[in-house]
Amino acid sequence: MPRTSFENLLEAGAHFGHLKRKWNPNIAPYVFGEKNGIHIIDLNKTLIKLEEASNAMKQIAKSGRTILFVATKKQAKKIISDALKEVNMPGVTERWTGGMLTNFATIRRSVRKMSDMNKMATDGTLDTLSKKEKLQLSRQRAKLEHQLGSIANMTRLPAAIFVVDISKEHIAIAEAHKLNIPTFAIVDTNSDPNRVDFAIPANDDSSTSIKIIVDTLVSAIKEGMEERKEAQLSNKQNDKKDEAVMDEREKEVIQETSSDEEASAEESESEEVETEIPGDHEDRGEKSKGPKGNNFKKSGGAPKRSPRPNR
């Protein structure tokens, strides 16, 4: 079931393209017709492409990876920044810094420098500096926050990139292609849809058109994140069940081994009793007698001889 409808796209004005003289010939499969010198986009194909892009983004979000949103146009800045708060994804709404993807290590160092400045401001280290140094650091911190504040939480390269107006953001598209990062974009009639992997033909100059498409994609990302949470919960429950089953098996094995040890101990005792010789105590009594059956006296021992007479 599609996440939006033909009527919603029509009301948002997503079907309006650019002037006929500004069109890109590669957009021809997505053009419905022309009226008053303006191309009209086929919204049925827009719905199909939007659904494909939504399903792809849903799978990316379900795998736990990030999607970078890029929109520096005035019409799309606020829409993108508000939408990203709901899904906690990185975004660029100011000028695209060259090398943000291809030179990501340097960008990360700048982000760490910005975070160190924020720590200095919170722990009071900034107050110990001179007035000139404090002013320089505060200006540098404000500049970094303005350019890189929205990607401060992006610790690795994104799994995909979404762009509004690929003609304006051609540098971001080129860097994503170098790194083989999948690209999603709203493509108007003045742009080439073959430059991106998932092209959504629609009006990229209308704020209402941008909003309805971005909201549709964000809802798909939310679905993927919810499914990921449900899968993690089910895995935890299954792990607990497996641990309980293993504990029961260990208890059964311990009980079996203990019962086997008791049985073997009883068998050994019974064998020892059977191997004892009867009349053993009588033999011990006979050994206390002297030679030829004569018993020694307890008090005197052997009998005394009579003294020999003197001659």
Side-chain angles (χ1 to χ4, degrees), residues 166-193:
I166 61 175
S167 298
K168 184 177 176 61
E169 311 297 344
H170 62 279
I171 299 175
I173 296 294
E175 290 187 16
H177 285 165
K178 281 185 179 180
L179 299 173
N180 295 322
I181 297 174
T183 51
F184 299 77
I186 300 175
V187 181
D188 211 332
T189 56
N190 65 337
S191 302
D192 185 5

Side-chain angles (χ1 to χ4, degrees), residues 68-69 81 84 88-95 100 111 114 144-154:
L68 178 63
F69 285 72
S81 60
L84 295 182
N88 196 22
M89 291 287 178
V92 177
T93 56
E94 301 299 332
R95 186 181 69 86
M100 191 172 285
V111 171
M114 181 183 66
L144 291 173
E145 185 71 30
H146 180 72
Q147 294 179 350
L148 307 175
S150 57
I151 62 167
N153 296 327
M154 191 173 70

Side-chain angles (χ1 to χ4, degrees), residues 69-122:
F69 285 72
V70 182
T72 60
K73 295 181 74 169
K74 188 186 295 184
Q75 301 94 318
K77 280 184 180 182
K78 191 173 186 308
I79 296 169
I80 292 294
S81 60
D82 292 341
L84 295 182
K85 293 177 183 177
E86 301 177 6
V87 291
N88 196 22
M89 291 287 178
V92 177
T93 56
E94 301 299 332
R95 186 181 69 86
W96 175 269
T97 305
M100 191 172 285
L101 296 179
T102 54
N103 197 13
F104 188 69
T106 304
I107 298 296
R108 283 302 304 167
R109 283 199 293 270
S110 299
V111 171
R112 283 195 292 269
K113 185 177 181 181
M114 181 183 66
S115 62
D116 292 339
M117 290 179 182
N118 293 332
K119 288 180 182 178
M120 290 173 65
T122 53

Side-chain angles (χ1 to χ4, degrees), residues 283-300:
D283 293 342
R284 291 176 183 174
E286 289 178 356
K287 289 179 183 178
S288 63
K289 295 179 181 180
K292 297 181 181 181
N294 295 326
N295 293 332
F296 291 96
K297 292 182 181 180
K298 293 181 180 180
S299 59

Side-chain angles (χ1 to χ4, degrees), residues 94 111 203 205 238 261 263 271 275:
E94 301 299 332
V111 171
N203 185 3
D205 295 315
N238 292 332
E261 290 176 356
E271 289 176 357
T275 53

